[in-house]
Amino acid sequence: MADTFDAAVRRGSAEILILSMIEERARHGYDIARRIEEQSGGVVCFNIASFYPLLYQLERRGVIKGRWVERDGQRRRRYYRITPAGRAVLESQRSKWNDFLGALSKMARLRPSR
Amino acid sequence: MIDWREEVRRRLKASAPAGRQEEIVDELAQDLELRYEAMRERGMAHDEAYRALLASLDPGGVLSRNVARVEGTASPFSGIARDVRLAWRVLSCEPGFAIVGIMTLAIGIGANLAIFSLAYAALWRPLPFVSPGELVEIHERRPNGAPATYTSLPNFKDWQAATRSFDGMAAYTDSGATLTGVGDPVRLAAIQISTGVLPLIGVEPMLGRNFTEDEDRLQGAPAVILSHHLWQERFGADRTVLGRTITIEGEPRPIVGVMGPGFHFPIRPEPVDLYLPIGRDPFPLMQLRDGRLIKVIARLRGSVEQANAEMASLANRLAAAYPDTNTGWSAFVVPLRDDWFGSARQGILLLFGAVAFVLLIACANLASLMMARSEIRRRDMAVRRALGASRFQLVRQILVQSLVIAAAGGIAGAVLSTWLVDAASAIAPGNVRAADAGFGAVHSLTAIGVTLIAGLLIGIGPAWLTSRDAPLTADRGTPGGARHNRFLSVLLAAEVAAGIVLLAGAGLFTQSLSRLMAVNPGIDASDVLVVPIELPLNDYPDDAGRNRFYSAALEGIADIPGVTSVATAFPVPLGGTVAFPFTIDGRVSDRPTGAYYRSVSAGYFTTLRVPVRRGRVFNDDDRANSPQVAIINESMASQYFGDADPLGQRITIVDRNAGDRRTSREIVGVVGDVRHQGLDRPSGPEMYVPGSQAPSQWMSLAVRSARGSELVAAIAATVHGIDPALPVQGAYVLEERIARAASPRIFSARLLSAFAVAAVLLALIGIAATSAYIVAQRTPEIAVRMAVGATSTTVLAMILSGTFRVAVAGAVMGLLASAGLSGAIRGMLFEINPLDPLTLALVTAAMIALALLAGLGPARRAAAIDPVVSLRRD
């Protein structure tokens, strides 16, 4: 039950997390995954087997766009940036999560942990 | 140094298209590398980092599946391979279902492919000539409106000179020729052609040349062209054979050409041995305007309509110029293929229809089995649907399964069809030859097409219905059950309907055949051996010579031990027909009418046991120079003499084979009608003349003897004792020939019966299996009914009445379909109506009874349900 819950939460929240990470600038896959893990304090982490397919799916939906970039002195990397459609999705997700979390914290008396 | 790319590549398998796969490998390997470095920097040991990363890369082997799912959304066909593997696994877990399905389809598809091969050879395949679509035959229409496929040489020459709608016109006809001097004398199948035939169809001899104009006229230079197989068999494929002289019809003729191996002029079913120039034929009738002995082939320049209009106006002009022979005759064009194969079309289409029905039943059968099986797997479907499989994916999975069965059935069917095609072409009517059928690219495409259609027919219903209910019904009983049972009922009704159509067809054709076989031919053909003789005109130019030969032969053969009696006849029964004009002496008539004509020796009526109605038969006193006499049949007596006594009356017969010699003859006898042209053809007015007074060059010997074909050698020896150069071949037992004339009907009846039996068996298996399934579905309901007081009798009645309703619905569909198809078979039946009420009633009753019988087992199991046990189980 716990596993299923975790998986469902992760799947449900992955989209908004990934989109938020690349809202300001394009990032490569490892960078996105690392930031999510760091900024969530290790609460949310993805294994490679599910993270990249998720990226590819978002790309297919036209929400993000990946591009191989070669920088001097570095190996070429695939950078993902958010598309205009992705921004619209992000906005709508933010408002939905806001409503949902607001309601949830009121009803379940959640307190953000510090 | 860890090769992360290799680690990724190995786990990714082939889950993405090739180019994309490498990109993913790159990206994931980089990620792993960066993670590894970070872990090491945090002080993690190599082994630990390595293991952790590999675990995160592919936990439980999901990497390739996840990637494939995402990448798979690009094309609806990716993942098909997985579906095929799954289908194969599912089928190999249920070998019984798989084998029954594959065999059922193999029979259905194989039979369809075999009949298709024949139909293609006869009806659709382009003829092996240049632009065959432009080739037409020119036919005439008689004054009574009936078509005439043969015309005369003078008409042909006028057509050729006066028309502008054609790029060439040529004449040909089938004939025979005797070859002597190369091995034993042999009678060969020949085609006479005008010089224009080969250029017209765009074919050249493989060796040598076509006939020249000089060779294609009376008294022209002699010449002959060999067929490829005669060249191989009789001349050892000798390439220096050109210029060599062979004796044809007693005349030395040089070989001027040899045709190529694939060349076949399908005017006749047996292969043609040699080609002769048509214009050089010395037969007097050939030169007469109403001697309709040749066929005309032409290449259209414009449209059919244009050509028809021109031929019609030309026919009018010829009628005005030659009123005696051409008044009332018209002419029109017919596509070459229709002329050559038109007679085979109906029979082939009939068989085609029958095998299509068999395949439909097989498909309906498998569809209901699939339905029952997918029903069992509905929970599985529901789980897959809940896990995110789209409806499309579920439909596809079931369809792939049915297509896999169909593919296996199709392959087995294709193999089966190569055997069936030989069997089927042996019985194919008309000019369709086994060698022409074969298995080529078109057949392969058809096999694939039929297989695909069969696979879709089988799978589409189950796929649609099962996937439709999948998410809803996982945990809640079977709300889709009623709909599925309706679908199954429709399939069952369709099987019953197709079974009735085939059974009715088989019943009708079988009865038609037995009625035909019961027809009295008017002769006693048992123990009669027929030996065709053809006297070459060069050696036997006059009546006296022929009479000498025939009387010597009759005497010699009569002395052979075991011979009861012997006669000569032209033509013999089933040996073709000849009709000559005649007038009744003393009666005024503007035009002569025609009657069938036979020149027979004195012993003919005794040998064939033709009953004499009045007067006498011919005897040895009827000689060439004695009073000229004739015998007529009953039909002629009643048609032309009514109640008056024909005996002693005189008729004048115009002998078209003897330069229109007119002879007035006294009618000395009336004999019974004989079905000379086959059991299904009425005899019509017929007149007999003594062989001695009109000896034809083509008399056949009819020998009555219990020894049958044992006698051939003795007869040949007798004939060769008189003329060593005469070929004696093609002897046959008359009774067999009469039966063979009915053989297309026999085979239609047998084949249809075989198809009908196969169809009914398939339908019964389907009914039994599906009833069992429906009973299983309804077990809870039945248990409840029984718990509240239903007896096993009422349950039995309930289940059987369900089967009965379906069978009756199917019967109604089947009867309607039979009525719709009746027009198509009317012409093929002998003295039976395609809507014969007794046949249809019997067939319907039998089919419904069999359906009930098939449903009885499952119904009894339903009646034996123990409500306590089955309700507790639920």
Side-chain angles (χ1 to χ4, degrees):
Chain A
M1 180 63 201
D3 287 354
T4 319
F5 179 73
D6 281 356
V9 169
R10 242 199 326 267
R11 201 163 37 233
S13 59
E15 196 169 306
I16 190 171
L17 290 176
I18 291 171
L19 291 177
S20 307
M21 290 304 122
I22 55 172
E23 193 183 4
E24 302 297 332
R25 54 171 296 186
R27 298 181 191 283
H28 55 81
Y30 171 70
D31 196 15
I32 301 171
R34 186 179 56 88
R35 276 166 193 277
I36 292 175
E37 195 174 336
E38 274 177 18
Q39 292 180 20
S40 72
V43 170
V44 184
C45 57
F46 295 100
N47 61 35
I48 297 177
S50 52
F51 178 69
Y52 280 93
L54 247 167
L55 280 184
Y56 302 154
Q57 197 164 39
L58 290 174
E59 192 175 7
R60 278 191 185 278
R61 278 167 51 198
V63 180
I64 62 175
K65 177 95 186 95
R67 196 159 62 93
W68 289 98
V69 176
E70 248 176 293
R71 298 220 166 110
D72 291 341
Q74 274 189 8
R75 285 170 55 184
R76 65 175 205 144
R77 292 217 164 102
R78 193 164 166 83
Y79 280 81
Y80 293 91
R81 61 176 175 75
I82 191 164
T83 64
R87 286 186 196 282
V89 169
L90 180 59
E91 282 318 306
S92 127
Q93 292 249 339
R94 276 192 174 130
S95 92
K96 278 182 189 156
W97 276 102
N98 263 329
D99 294 349
F100 177 70
L101 288 176
L104 197 66
S105 43
K106 242 192 288 178
M107 288 185 297
R109 298 198 193 104
L110 301 179
R111 270 178 297 119
S113 61
R114 297 280 167 197
Chain B
M1 190 69 190
I2 305 163
D3 186 353
W4 290 111
R5 296 173 53 85
E6 186 48 42
E7 298 287 356
V8 174
R9 196 175 285 125
R10 207 169 59 228
R11 286 167 178 77
L12 212 46
K13 294 168 194 151
S15 49
R20 177 78 183 120
Q21 177 104 349
E22 277 310 297
E23 284 194 337
I24 296 174
V25 168
D26 269 357
E27 193 171 17
L28 267 56
Q30 272 181 33
D31 183 295
L32 288 165
E33 220 173 290
L34 292 171
R35 282 180 200 237
Y36 177 79
E37 281 163 15
M39 285 166 153
R40 293 287 285 161
E41 272 168 26
R42 289 204 298 270
M44 201 181 270
H46 161 81
D47 282 358
E48 198 185 345
Y50 180 60
R51 266 200 304 277
L53 284 173
L54 285 190
S56 137
L57 173 61
D58 195 17
V62 295
L63 176 68
S64 64
R65 210 153 62 225
N66 285 349
V67 171
R69 200 183 59 228
V70 177
E71 294 297 321
T73 52
S75 139
F77 295 108
S78 67
I80 280 264
R82 198 176 53 226
D83 282 349
V84 170
R85 279 196 301 275
L86 179 68
W88 194 249
R89 223 171 26 240
V90 167
L91 287 179
S92 48
C93 289
E94 296 174 81
F97 168 73
I99 289 170
V100 167
I102 290 168
M103 275 172 44
T104 308
L105 278 180
I107 294 170
I109 293 177
N112 271 276
L113 289 181
I115 300 296
F116 170 80
S117 294
L118 290 185
Y120 179 69
L123 308 180
W124 301 306
R125 186 182 46 190
L127 295 164
F129 307 143
V130 171
S131 305
E134 295 169 1
L135 292 175
V136 292
E137 289 251 336
I138 304 180
H139 289 180
E140 284 187 288
R141 204 182 295 288
R142 296 170 196 279
N144 67 8
T149 54
Y150 285 74
T151 187
S152 66
L153 211 48
N155 275 347
F156 159 66
K157 286 177 177 162
D158 283 338
W159 293 351
Q160 200 178 24
T163 51
R164 312 175 68 84
S165 310
F166 304 97
D167 277 330
M169 194 184 281
Y172 69 95
T173 191
D174 52 338
S175 75
T178 301
L179 169 69
T180 45
V182 185
D184 293 334
V186 63
R187 188 79 195 141
L188 297 175
I191 289 193
Q192 295 173 293
I193 55 175
S194 70
T195 51
V197 166
L198 295 182
L200 185 76
I201 61 178
V203 175
E204 285 181 358
M206 179 187 79
L207 295 176
R209 58 167 175 82
N210 187 12
F211 298 120
T212 63
E213 292 293 342
D214 181 50
E215 289 158 349
D216 188 25
R217 61 179 179 81
L218 277 177
Q219 273 94 44
V224 59
I225 294 177
L226 304 181
S227 74
H228 191 262
H229 73 92
L230 187 75
W231 175 64
Q232 286 191 315
E233 286 159 20
R234 286 254 163 182
F235 300 90
D238 177 6
R239 298 184 78 86
T240 65
V241 77
L242 294 181
R244 186 168 150 192
T245 297
I246 56 176
T247 305
I248 300 283
E249 298 291 276
E251 184 195 22
R253 303 182 197 211
I255 299 169
V256 300
V258 178
M259 295 309 294
F263 183 68
H264 175 61
F265 211 64
I267 181 178
R268 52 199 301 163
E270 72 268 33
V272 174
D273 300 310
L274 45 81
Y275 301 85
L276 297 167
I278 198 168
R280 203 169 173 277
D281 192 330
F283 190 52
L285 192 55
M286 199 66 142
Q287 306 302 328
L288 298 180
R289 191 165 286 276
D290 58 347
R292 292 186 159 82
L293 299 172
I294 63 160
K295 293 174 70 96
V296 173
I297 184 173
R299 187 175 287 281
L300 276 183
R301 176 176 291 166
S303 66
V304 169
E305 293 71 27
Q306 192 187 337
N308 275 336
E310 186 177 29
M311 286 313 301
S313 86
L314 178 55
N316 284 338
R317 292 208 300 279
L318 291 178
Y322 309 102
D324 285 351
T325 54
N326 286 39
T327 300
W329 288 76
S330 182
F332 60 102
V333 303
V334 176
L336 187 60
R337 174 189 299 283
D338 290 2
D339 178 64
W340 283 0
F341 297 116
S343 61
R345 181 189 302 266
Q346 218 183 7
I348 287 178
L349 290 181
L350 172 84
L351 292 182
F352 222 169
V355 291
F357 270 106
V358 173
L359 183 59
L360 280 182
I361 292 182
C363 288
N365 221 339
L366 281 175
S368 50
L369 288 178
M370 283 282 286
M371 190 70 218
R373 289 178 58 265
S374 59
E375 191 71 10
I376 295 163
R377 292 180 44 230
R378 212 164 51 178
R379 271 160 209 272
D380 168 48
M381 290 272 163
V383 172
R384 288 200 55 195
R385 184 82 193 259
L387 284 178
S390 67
R391 182 167 182 196
F392 170 79
Q393 283 170 318
L394 297 189
V395 166
R396 192 180 73 180
Q397 194 198 325
I398 297 177
L399 275 184
V400 163
Q401 218 175 87
S402 66
L403 284 170
V404 165
I405 299 180
I411 292 169
V415 173
L416 187 66
S417 79
T418 55
W419 291 320
L420 286 178
V421 99
D422 289 341
S425 49
I427 62 178
N431 305 337
V432 186
R433 300 190 313 151
D436 292 346
F439 206 90
V442 177
H443 305 84
S444 311
L445 282 180
T446 310
I448 292 169
V450 170
T451 302
L452 276 179
I453 291 171
L456 290 177
L457 280 179
I458 293 166
I460 201 84
W464 186 253
L465 289 173
T466 313
S467 66
R468 174 161 148 177
D469 299 322
L472 300 170
T473 55
D475 305 307
R476 283 187 278 145
T478 56
R483 192 159 48 226
H484 294 185
N485 290 353
R486 264 203 307 282
F487 176 69
L488 287 173
S489 301
V490 170
L491 286 182
L492 283 192
E495 290 188 50
V496 170
I500 283 184
V501 170
L502 283 176
L503 269 186
L508 289 170
F509 274 78
T510 308
Q511 284 183 74
S512 156
L513 180 64
S514 66
R515 286 182 194 198
L516 181 68
M517 288 322 219
V519 166
N520 176 10
I523 54 172
D524 177 3
S526 60
D527 295 337
V528 174
L529 182 73
V530 175
V531 183
I533 295 287
E534 181 170 343
L535 302 177
L537 271 185
N538 286 320
D539 299 344
Y540 296 89
D542 55 17
D543 287 2
R546 288 177 218 159
N547 273 336
R548 271 196 302 279
F549 172 83
Y550 289 127
S551 33
L554 287 174
E555 257 176 53
I557 292 167
D559 288 343
I560 297 173
V563 170
T564 316
S565 64
V566 57
T568 58
F570 163 76
V572 278
L574 294 168
T577 56
V578 176
F580 284 164
F582 75 93
T583 49
I584 299 168
D585 295 9
R587 280 196 205 173
V588 183
S589 75
D590 41 349
R591 288 176 58 81
T593 37
Y596 294 116
Y597 169 93
R598 273 165 215 277
S599 161
V600 300
S601 71
Y604 182 78
F605 301 98
T606 337
T607 304
L608 290 176
R609 297 186 180 149
V610 180
V612 182
R613 302 297 185 209
R614 320 186 57 176
R616 64 169 177 95
V617 293
F618 301 136
N619 56 43
D620 292 340
D621 293 335
D622 294 315
R623 286 185 299 273
N625 47 10
S626 63
Q628 304 289 302
V629 292
I631 291 174
I632 61 175
N633 72 350
E634 284 178 302
S635 287
M636 183 156 173
S638 66
Q639 190 170 334
Y640 291 100
F641 298 95
D643 295 332
D645 188 358
L647 296 186
Q649 304 257 21
R650 299 190 70 86
I651 51 176
T652 298
I653 301 173
V654 184
D655 188 343
R656 307 303 312 271
N657 285 353
D660 278 6
R661 182 168 62 193
R662 287 164 187 273
T663 313
S664 171
R665 297 175 180 275
E666 183 190 344
I667 298 171
V668 295
V670 177
V671 294
D673 285 351
V674 175
R675 299 218 164 194
H676 275 121
Q677 301 178 60
L679 294 175
D680 52 351
R681 306 275 297 273
S683 37
E686 196 154 27
M687 48 204 185
Y688 298 85
V689 301
S692 53
Q693 294 178 359
S696 157
Q697 69 176 115
W698 298 289
M699 298 289 241
S700 289
L701 296 163
V703 184
R704 175 170 291 280
S705 163
R707 290 176 60 197
S709 41
E710 283 172 44
L711 282 178
V712 174
I715 293 171
T718 309
V719 169
H720 288 151
I722 308 165
D723 182 347
L726 271 189
V728 177
Q729 64 186 59
Y732 56 87
V733 176
L734 187 57
E735 205 171 20
E736 288 170 9
R737 178 63 61 97
I738 290 174
R740 204 165 77 202
S743 63
R745 289 176 189 277
I746 295 176
F747 284 114
S748 298
R750 284 194 188 152
L751 220 55
L752 268 183
S753 303
F755 289 149
V757 167
V760 168
L761 277 180
L762 285 177
L764 293 183
I765 292 170
I767 290 168
T770 313
S771 305
Y773 164 73
I774 291 178
V775 165
Q777 280 287 297
R778 292 179 65 184
T779 297
E781 175 212 326
I782 294 168
V784 169
R785 282 175 190 266
M786 292 181 90
V788 298
T791 64
S792 33
T793 319
T794 51
V795 169
L796 189 74
M798 178 183 80
I799 298 289
L800 278 184
S801 75
T803 311
F804 181 72
R805 276 199 301 275
V806 171
V808 167
V812 171
M813 281 159 57
L815 288 175
L816 288 176
S818 300
L821 293 169
S822 64
I825 61 167
R826 189 177 296 273
M828 304 167 79
L829 294 175
F830 180 73
E831 288 183 356
I832 187 164
N833 186 327
L835 291 174
D836 181 53
L838 183 64
T839 307
L840 291 181
L842 281 177
V843 160
T844 307
M847 194 68 212
I848 291 177
L850 286 170
L852 284 179
L853 205 64
L856 189 61
R860 283 171 60 178
R861 275 198 296 286
I865 284 172
D866 182 338
V868 179
V869 172
S870 51
L871 284 177
R872 191 180 294 145
R873 194 168 52 215
D874 244 43

